[in-house]
Amino acid sequence: MRNPLEPLAGFGVTFSSMFKKNNTELYPEEKAPTAARYHGRHQLNRYADGLEKCIGCELCAWACPADAIYVEGADNTEEERFSPGERYGSVYQINYLRCIGCGLCIEACPTRALTMTNEYEMADDNRADLIYGKDKLLAPLEPGMESPPHPMQPGSTDEDYYRGSVIATNEVPQ
Ligand code: SF4
Ligand code: SF4
């Protein structure tokens, strides 16, 4: 026969918990640092002169198991150049309602355009704002960088960019 006090057992657990030390972290007032290689918000990186590293190849989108990435590539022209070489990512979106933070997109990227930051505060109150575009993903311009579109550095090839031998626009070559 069933013990009539059984339904009260759950209340006993609740009651005893009331007197235990509170283990809740004091977020958001106190933010604990993440692990160094934490998989947070993505970032689209730039070369030292500000040109974008993304070539719009879509390899990241094809690698994504959650179908969270949407890319549209377009051709650079000499009048309007956003990245070295032929192509750049004209539309780039990551849907953080889908992303599982696996990092496979990072591994697929041939130019190291895509990396992940330690930023984890991406909650929002509507679905549309959790689809991040280039406005949120593109790395900010650092000193010495010029906002694209602009030409490649004189005398340089796209290979020089990929090899990291291009310097910031205001630096003097050694
Ligand atoms: S981290 Fe994983 S799930 Fe998120 S966008 Fe990259 S491949 Fe897709
Ligand atoms: S982020 Fe990398 S893999 Fe994705 S489209 Fe750009 S260059 Fe290609």
Side-chain angles (χ1 to χ4, degrees):
M1 190 182 148
R2 194 175 171 192
N3 181 349
L5 294 179
E6 225 173 58
L8 295 177
F11 288 109
V13 173
T14 307
F15 188 72
S16 63
S17 300
M18 287 169 68
F19 302 101
K20 285 185 182 163
K21 185 174 170 285
N22 188 354
N23 285 328
T24 312
E25 289 178 34
L26 296 174
Y27 180 83
E29 287 77 21
E30 288 180 24
K31 293 175 189 167
T34 62
R37 301 185 71 172
Y38 177 80
H39 284 188
R41 179 182 60 76
H42 296 73
Q43 176 168 286
L44 285 170
N45 298 301
R46 298 175 185 273
Y47 290 107
D49 65 350
L51 284 180
E52 297 169 15
K53 288 189 174 182
C54 178
I55 54 173
C57 67
E58 299 182 34
L59 284 177
C60 51
W62 285 98
C64 178
D67 199 14
I69 303 183
Y70 177 75
V71 185
E72 270 180 30
D75 287 338
N76 286 307
T77 60
E78 285 317 315
E79 298 75 44
E80 212 175 48
R81 172 173 293 287
F82 292 87
S83 69
E86 292 175 27
R87 306 266 290 165
Y88 74 102
S90 65
V91 177
Y92 196 97
Q93 295 175 344
I94 296 184
N95 184 341
Y96 283 105
L97 296 160
R98 284 175 169 262
C99 176
I100 54 171
C102 64
L104 289 177
C105 50
I106 307 299
E107 292 181 32
C109 182
T111 61
R112 294 292 289 157
L114 192 63
T115 51
M116 282 165 130
T117 67
N118 287 0
E119 189 185 325
Y120 55 85
E121 292 184 306
M122 295 187 289
D124 218 314
D125 58 5
N126 68 90
R127 299 174 70 82
D129 284 347
L130 283 165
I131 299 173
Y132 282 31
K134 281 179 79 173
D135 56 326
K136 290 182 179 166
L137 297 173
L138 206 52
L141 290 167
E142 287 177 17
M145 290 182 174
E146 186 188 341
S147 181
H150 64 78
M152 291 198 287
Q153 297 218 351
S156 64
T157 64
D158 51 351
E159 206 170 308
D160 295 327
Y161 277 85
Y162 301 143
R163 292 187 190 284
S165 51
V166 170
I167 55 172
T169 42
N170 61 357
E171 269 181 53
V172 180
Q174 300 294 319

